[in-house]
Amino acid sequence: MSKRWLREKKRDYYYRKAKAEEYRSRASFKLKQLNERFGLIRRGDKVLDLGAAPGGWMQVVKEIAGSSGFVLGVDLAKIRDFGLENVKSIQGDFTRKETIEKIKEILPSCDVIISDASPDISGVWDIDHFSSVELCRSALSIAEEILKPGGNFLVKIFQGEHTGEFFGEVKDRFTYAKMTKPEASRTGSAEIYVAAKGFKKRFIYA
Ligand SMILES: C[S@@+](CC[C@H](N)C(=O)[O-])C[C@H]1O[C@@H](n2cnc3c(N)ncnc32)[C@H](O)[C@@H]1O
């Protein structure tokens, strides 16, 4: 069995499973597995989902957080409306100030921030890694603004030379942080997730 064969088989399996269970994306299973392992999202949580289209992770958050929870998805692409009061989305670039202002209007504070955002792939590994780290840092800086003390954080990163540095930045701000890869993540893919719990809010005095 070649690596490629295994990779395609796994991809096919989760693709069919997502269709059968009416998830908008295969990625739903990654969040399910990560949440089972780390308990990042709980019933009643308010969750910000960055890079959320087409909405597979939002569906999983909706299930876990339940009707007393809330999820706001943000993506460059439009996210098809779920028609629910507690599931909202914004179309925009979360690295930009105007989008962050819109996020804060809807969600001035939240319990969990998750990001599955992937940059446009250039094919040049260093560039793609660097763009991914930039997205991760934007997610972390949004956390500084709206994540509640004790809150949780999950972010996807394309591995490369700055992964360790970014992980250090996360470790400084949370009581627990771990680099991890869910089973549903493609075999051989360079993506990895940073899961962190217990946000240590720093109070900034003007
Ligand atoms: C792998 S997909 C997310 C899949 C999603 N978790 C799901 O389960 O349906 C990555 C997304 O990141 C989004 N993205 C990348 N950069 C972004 C940015 N700066 N602002 C908002 N979304 C971004 C892309 O548009 C893409 O839809």
Side-chain angles (χ1 to χ4, degrees):
M1 279 185 290
S2 71
K3 261 194 176 166
R4 187 177 166 171
W5 185 85
L6 272 174
R7 188 163 59 224
E8 275 161 19
K9 197 161 166 53
K10 197 189 224 181
R11 200 209 302 251
D12 250 31
Y13 170 77
Y14 283 110
Y15 176 78
R16 275 190 269 109
K17 196 168 161 62
K19 278 256 176 274
E21 295 179 29
E22 296 184 13
Y23 285 115
R24 292 186 181 182
S25 116
R26 278 185 293 123
S28 295
F29 299 104
K30 298 185 202 171
L31 182 59
K32 273 177 178 262
Q33 290 166 2
L34 289 166
N35 204 58
E36 271 159 29
R37 178 148 179 225
F38 296 100
L40 299 160
I41 306 161
R42 284 168 299 208
R43 187 151 289 274
D45 277 350
K46 286 184 188 152
V47 180
L48 175 64
D49 182 356
L50 300 169
W57 277 25
M58 292 172 74
Q59 289 173 288
V60 174
V61 174
K62 176 168 75 79
E63 281 169 22
I64 302 169
S67 53
S68 56
F70 181 86
V71 54
L72 174 65
V74 183
D75 204 287
L76 296 168
K78 189 167 169 49
I79 299 169
R80 192 159 35 91
D81 193 31
F82 285 92
L84 290 169
E85 268 311 301
N86 65 336
V87 183
K88 295 280 175 223
S89 66
I90 292 173
Q91 182 173 12
D93 179 343
F94 68 80
T95 66
R96 297 184 69 95
K97 212 171 164 199
E98 61 264 29
T99 309
I100 298 171
E101 288 310 314
K102 284 187 196 161
I103 293 172
K104 286 183 350 194
E105 268 169 37
I106 301 177
L107 209 54
S109 78
C110 66
D111 303 287
V112 188
I113 296 183
I114 55 179
S115 172
D116 194 28
S118 307
D120 267 346
I121 303 297
S122 72
V124 178
W125 183 250
D126 282 354
I127 295 176
D128 296 338
H129 163 62
F130 189 75
S131 312
S132 163
V133 174
E134 290 285 285
L135 292 175
C136 293
R137 290 213 164 104
S138 295
L140 193 56
S141 97
I142 296 175
E144 298 277 8
E145 292 199 56
I146 66 167
L147 190 59
K148 289 182 188 165
N152 299 335
F153 184 69
L154 173 71
V155 72
K156 177 170 76 184
I157 186 163
F158 292 173
Q159 291 183 77
E161 68 169 299
H162 299 289
T163 308
E165 194 181 307
F166 175 71
F167 185 58
E169 291 163 24
V170 174
K171 271 198 341 206
D172 277 354
R173 290 165 172 82
F174 290 83
T175 54
Y176 171 89
K178 178 114 183 138
M179 283 202 252
T180 182
K181 200 173 169 84
E183 202 277 330
S185 194
R186 277 187 296 140
T187 314
S189 88
E191 69 182 24
I192 193 158
Y193 288 82
V194 174
K197 296 181 82 168
F199 183 53
K200 297 186 260 178
K201 187 108 186 161
R202 286 191 292 206
F203 293 95
I204 299 154
Y205 299 98

